[in-house]
Amino acid sequence: MSEGAGALQALQDLLFSPFTEFGFMRRALVAVVALSMGAAPLGCLLVLRRMSLLGDAMAHALLPGAAVGYMIAGLSVTAMGLGGFVAALAVALLAGAVTRHTHQREDASFAAFYLIALALGVLLISMRGSSVDLIHVLFGSVLAVDDAALLLVASIASVTLMLLALLYRPLVVESFDAGFLASVGGPGALSHGVLLVLTVANLVGGFQAMGTLMAVGLMMVPAIAARFWVRDLAPLALLAALIAMFSGWIGLLLSFHADLPSGPAIVLVAGVIYVLSLLFGRHDGLLRRGASCC
């Protein structure tokens, strides 16, 4: 075998062989791709609305519901997913109600309720489980995705893309000028509610594979990184999804070859892309801004 052919084979073994040889790696990659397609566009909308920390709040808010599901049925995808969805949605509704009936800002309401929910979730798990159980819920393992979790993530991503396409115009208008949408009788409240529900649903699907803390990283970090390169929403969502998929691919390879935890590896790859975007991005990149100042 020639030197060039040997190098090509080595590159193939490094980048593709883990997915062709091992079923668990293929399932993990499909799960990350599906999660990227649904979660990254939502992250872009949250960034445009200056609600970047909402995903983090919702990820913590679903913990007590997931804990109750775990206490009832063990590590059941259905029980933990349904419990997490109900808990996070309850936090969103309570925070919205407080904002409507008081002068408190929505971000402050979310902060208060998600911290309460996080503490309650940790308490419930510690009462009936162990530190290993808590780590599984918080960080997950995309390499351990089973068929049920994969079906859940793919279904949520499909519904997310369909609803985003259906409500694209009001979501865009409300992101930039919610007052105008309300003045013309647009479905502002409906689109905002759908956005919250979809955010919760994608985090519920994501925590089955990556845990609550890692799922929100794949939702928000690619969206924030993409903002340094494009401004229009459609290209922004596409680039964020591609960054998330690339981060998943490289992160899984790092996890496989270097024996690293898969979720943190994926999010850290996305973090490297964010840092590079921060430095070299077309819009507000530090080096470009420094060059223009000089």
Side-chain angles (χ1 to χ4, degrees), residues 54-73:
L54 175 65
D56 184 59
M58 291 295 94
H60 289 84
L62 61 85
L63 188 58
V68 171
Y70 170 77
M71 292 169 65
I72 295 173

Side-chain angles (χ1 to χ4, degrees), residues 244-275:
M245 293 178 197
F246 179 80
S247 301
W249 175 42
I250 299 300
L252 287 173
L253 288 173
L254 286 174
S255 175
F256 181 83
H257 292 298
D259 194 24
L260 299 173
S262 53
I266 291 170
V267 176
L268 285 175
V269 172
V272 171
I273 296 174
Y274 165 74
V275 172

Side-chain angles (χ1 to χ4, degrees), residues 128-285:
R128 292 289 299 272
S130 66
S131 60
V132 175
D133 299 324
L134 179 60
I135 289 173
H136 177 85
V137 173
L138 290 177
F139 299 103
S141 176
V142 72
L143 297 180
V145 171
D146 57 14
D147 292 340
L150 187 58
L151 180 61
L152 176 65
V153 173
S155 300
I156 290 173
S158 300
V159 172
T160 298
L161 291 176
M162 287 189 291
L163 289 177
L164 288 179
L166 185 64
L167 295 173
Y168 180 78
R169 293 177 69 85
L171 283 170
V172 172
V173 174
E174 196 194 25
S175 296
F176 292 100
D177 195 343
F180 171 76
L181 185 63
S183 68
V184 298
L190 173 63
S191 60
H192 184 70
V194 169
L195 178 63
L196 290 179
V197 170
L198 290 178
T199 300
V200 171
N202 276 269
L203 290 173
V204 167
F207 97 84
Q208 300 289 344
M210 300 180 65
T212 57
L213 301 183
M214 296 299 103
V216 70
L218 197 62
M219 174 181 285
M220 298 308 307
V221 177
I224 298 170
R227 187 71 171 150
F228 285 102
W229 299 100
V230 293
R231 292 301 195 200
D232 295 338
L233 180 57
L236 180 67
L238 177 60
L239 179 59
L242 292 174
I243 291 174
M245 293 178 197
F246 179 80
S247 301
W249 175 42
I250 299 300
L252 287 173
L253 288 173
L254 286 174
S255 175
F256 181 83
H257 292 298
D259 194 24
L260 299 173
S262 53
I266 291 170
V267 176
L268 285 175
V269 172
V272 171
I273 296 174
Y274 165 74
V275 172
L276 294 175
S277 301
L278 174 65
L279 293 174
F280 303 105
R282 292 175 54 199
H283 302 287
D284 293 328

